[in-house]
Amino acid sequence: MINEYEKLLAGLDDVDWASLSHAYQSAEDVPGHIRTLCGNDDEAREQAFKSLFSSIFHQGSRYSASPVAVPFLARIAVAGPAAARENTMWLLTRLAVDWHDEYDVTTGINVTGWRAAAAEVAQEELLPWYEEQMAAATDPDKRTQAQELRDWVAAGNSPDSRWSALQCYDAVRAELPGLLVLLDAADARLRTRIAYLLAWLPEFAATSLPRLLALAAREDDSVTAATALLAAGLVGPASTAGDITPYLDATDPLMRWAAATTLIRLAALDEAPAGPALLGRAVAELAAGARSPFDRVTDYYDGDLHAHIEHTLHSLPPGSDPAVVRETLHG
């Protein structure tokens, strides 16, 4: 059934999927769905995507099977069937960060805080606690329940979503060097997808930032270029403003809006706020975007341009003119 794509699935059947879990308990169905992504049946492929989204990424939750699936999905995103690659990138992005994380779009992902919180509920922290509960339990049912939870955690799970989500985040991060080839993909949708994914992985910024700026500079597709520019602003330091400012003079209003959004985010990082003239230009561009929405928008904030503008304006550095913000939001 797979032929030329069989090499992408090397090792898939070597995983003990039945010992892993997803939203519907045993993950033994996962390899079949992944294999279907590389098949020729479009309807079956669509159903496989739906099954994977609802099982290894169920309403934002990740499970022990989720990070194990990531390397196979990354190979498909890079070299799988054309019909599967874009949706596979969406799935990889969702496994790394869910829609709740996206509402940090004006500040970027706080991975340091995430790691600190996840460390408190890591396996090595929870296992001794469950073992203490087992030892202290006098009721056989409670002891059995504690044993089951202890075994579930020992199998690579956690009752805390921050820990399980971080395992997926790190699994996707490990695949980024190979996924970077998509920045040069012939399909603009794939270039957009990798730029969007990179926006949420600031620990990779030393590699991704120059590549994102280069993509924004050469890209003909306005959505892809704007996505890359915003991603550069989310992972870059305050000094990135020097690379972004020229885009305030771009011909394309979407690029001017992306530059303005990015500059406001970067100004909030700096101890010395950006000059009022530059911020004033940025606010003016956001106001223009609010008055005359674009025909095409980026995927940030799920494509909700007005929500993105509102949150960006609320993140303006102290000292910004509140009247200008009110006028932009409600005028």
Side-chain angles (χ1 to χ4, degrees), residues 201-239:
L201 291 122
E203 294 169 324
F204 196 64
T207 298
S208 65
L209 180 58
R211 301 290 296 271
L212 287 165
L213 290 170
L215 177 62
R218 71 172 185 267
E219 180 58 56
D220 292 328
D221 185 274
S222 60
V223 171
T224 304
T227 299
L229 200 64
L230 287 162
L234 284 169
V235 302
S239 59

Side-chain angles (χ1 to χ4, degrees), residues 72-120:
F72 303 105
L73 296 172
R75 294 179 207 165
I76 294 171
V78 169
R85 297 172 73 192
E86 183 181 6
N87 279 342
T88 302
M89 279 300 297
W90 263 122
L91 180 53
L92 283 170
T93 303
R94 284 288 172 254
L95 287 170
V97 290
D98 68 24
W99 49 77
H100 302 295
D101 297 313
E102 289 192 2
Y103 290 98
D104 288 327
V105 70
T106 52
T107 57
I109 293 291
N110 179 10
V111 181
T112 301
W114 187 0
R115 291 194 184 284
E120 297 178 0

